[in-house]
Coordinates of all heavy atoms in Angstrom, one line a residue:
T1010 N -8.6 -1.7 -11.4 CA -8.8 -3.0 -10.9 C -10.3 -3.3 -10.6 O -11.1 -2.4 -10.7 CB -8.1 -3.2 -9.6 OG1 -8.5 -2.2 -8.7 CG2 -6.6 -3.0 -9.8
D1011 N -10.7 -4.5 -10.3 CA -12.0 -4.9 -10.0 C -12.5 -4.0 -8.8 O -13.7 -3.6 -8.8 CB -12.2 -6.4 -9.6 CG -12.5 -7.2 -10.8 OD1 -12.9 -6.7 -11.8 OD2 -12.3 -8.5 -10.7
D1012 N -11.7 -3.8 -7.8 CA -12.2 -3.1 -6.7 C -12.1 -1.6 -6.9 O -12.2 -0.8 -5.9 CB -11.4 -3.5 -5.4 CG -10.0 -3.1 -5.3 OD1 -9.4 -2.7 -6.4 OD2 -9.4 -3.1 -4.2
G1013 N -11.9 -1.1 -8.1 CA -12.0 0.3 -8.4 C -10.8 1.1 -8.1 O -10.9 2.3 -8.0
A1014 N -9.6 0.5 -8.0 CA -8.4 1.3 -7.8 C -7.9 1.8 -9.1 O -8.0 1.1 -10.1 CB -7.3 0.5 -7.1
E1015 N -7.4 3.0 -9.2 CA -6.8 3.5 -10.4 C -5.3 3.4 -10.2 O -4.7 4.0 -9.3 CB -7.2 5.0 -10.6 CG -8.7 5.2 -10.8 CD -9.0 6.7 -10.9 OE1 -9.2 7.3 -9.8 OE2 -9.2 7.2 -12.0
T1016 N -4.7 2.5 -11.0 CA -3.3 2.1 -10.6 C -2.4 2.2 -11.8 O -2.8 2.6 -12.9 CB -3.3 0.6 -10.2 OG1 -3.6 -0.2 -11.4 CG2 -4.3 0.3 -9.1
D1017 N -1.1 1.9 -11.5 CA -0.1 2.0 -12.5 C -0.3 0.9 -13.6 O -0.8 -0.2 -13.3 CB 1.3 1.7 -11.8 CG 2.4 1.9 -12.7 OD1 2.8 3.0 -13.0 OD2 2.9 0.8 -13.2
L1018 N 0.1 1.2 -14.8 CA -0.1 0.3 -15.9 C 0.6 -1.1 -15.7 O 0.2 -2.1 -16.3 CB 0.2 0.9 -17.3 CG 1.6 1.4 -17.6 CD1 2.5 0.3 -18.0 CD2 1.4 2.3 -18.8
D1019 N 1.6 -1.1 -14.9 CA 2.3 -2.4 -14.7 C 1.4 -3.4 -14.0 O 1.5 -4.6 -14.2 CB 3.5 -2.2 -13.8 CG 4.7 -1.7 -14.6 OD1 4.9 -2.1 -15.7 OD2 5.5 -0.9 -14.0
L1020 N 0.4 -3.0 -13.3 CA -0.6 -3.9 -12.7 C -1.4 -4.6 -13.9 O -1.8 -5.8 -13.7 CB -1.6 -3.3 -11.7 CG -1.0 -3.2 -10.3 CD1 0.0 -2.1 -10.2 CD2 -2.1 -3.1 -9.3
G1021 N -1.5 -3.9 -15.0 CA -2.1 -4.6 -16.2 C -1.2 -5.7 -16.6 O -1.7 -6.8 -16.9
H1022 N 0.1 -5.5 -16.7 CA 1.0 -6.6 -17.1 C 0.8 -7.7 -16.1 O 0.8 -8.9 -16.5 CB 2.4 -6.1 -17.1 CG 2.7 -5.0 -18.1 ND1 2.3 -5.1 -19.4 CD2 3.4 -3.9 -18.0 CE1 2.7 -4.0 -20.0 NE2 3.4 -3.2 -19.2
Y1023 N 0.8 -7.4 -14.8 CA 0.7 -8.5 -13.8 C -0.5 -9.4 -14.0 O -0.4 -10.6 -14.0 CB 0.6 -7.9 -12.4 CG 1.8 -7.0 -11.9 CD1 1.6 -6.2 -10.8 CD2 3.0 -6.9 -12.7 CE1 2.6 -5.3 -10.4 CE2 4.0 -6.0 -12.3 CZ 3.8 -5.3 -11.1 OH 4.8 -4.4 -10.7
E1024 N -1.6 -8.7 -14.3 CA -2.9 -9.5 -14.5 C -2.8 -10.3 -15.8 O -3.4 -11.3 -15.9 CB -4.1 -8.6 -14.4 CG -4.5 -8.2 -13.0 CD -5.9 -7.8 -12.8 OE1 -6.6 -7.5 -13.8 OE2 -6.4 -7.8 -11.6
R1025 N -2.2 -9.7 -16.8 CA -2.2 -10.4 -18.1 C -1.2 -11.6 -18.1 O -1.4 -12.6 -18.8 CB -1.8 -9.4 -19.2 CG -2.9 -8.5 -19.6 CD -2.5 -7.7 -20.9 NE -1.6 -6.6 -20.6 CZ -1.9 -5.4 -20.2 NH1 -3.2 -5.1 -19.9 NH2 -1.0 -4.5 -19.9
F1026 N -0.2 -11.5 -17.3 CA 0.8 -12.6 -17.3 C 0.5 -13.6 -16.2 O 1.1 -14.7 -16.2 CB 2.2 -12.0 -17.1 CG 2.8 -11.5 -18.3 CD1 2.5 -10.2 -18.8 CD2 3.8 -12.2 -19.1 CE1 3.1 -9.7 -20.0 CE2 4.4 -11.7 -20.2 CZ 4.0 -10.5 -20.7
S1027 N -0.3 -13.3 -15.2 CA -0.5 -14.2 -14.1 C -1.9 -14.3 -13.8 O -2.7 -13.6 -14.4 CB 0.3 -13.8 -12.9 OG -0.4 -12.7 -12.2
S1028 N -2.3 -15.2 -12.9 CA -3.7 -15.2 -12.5 C -4.0 -14.5 -11.2 O -5.1 -14.5 -10.7 CB -4.2 -16.7 -12.4 OG -3.3 -17.4 -11.6
A1029 N -3.0 -13.7 -10.7 CA -3.2 -12.9 -9.5 C -4.2 -11.8 -9.8 O -4.2 -11.2 -10.9 CB -1.8 -12.3 -9.1
V1030 N -5.1 -11.5 -8.9 CA -6.1 -10.5 -9.0 C -5.6 -9.3 -8.3 O -5.3 -9.3 -7.1 CB -7.4 -10.9 -8.5 CG1 -8.5 -9.8 -8.6 CG2 -7.9 -12.2 -9.2

Side-chain angles (χ1 to χ4, degrees):
T1010 57
D1011 267 344
D1012 72 342
E1015 297 175 278
T1016 70
D1017 186 77
L1018 60 76
D1019 279 325
L1020 274 78
H1022 298 314
Y1023 303 166
E1024 284 202 343
R1025 285 188 284 275
F1026 278 79
S1027 77
S1028 52
V1030 177

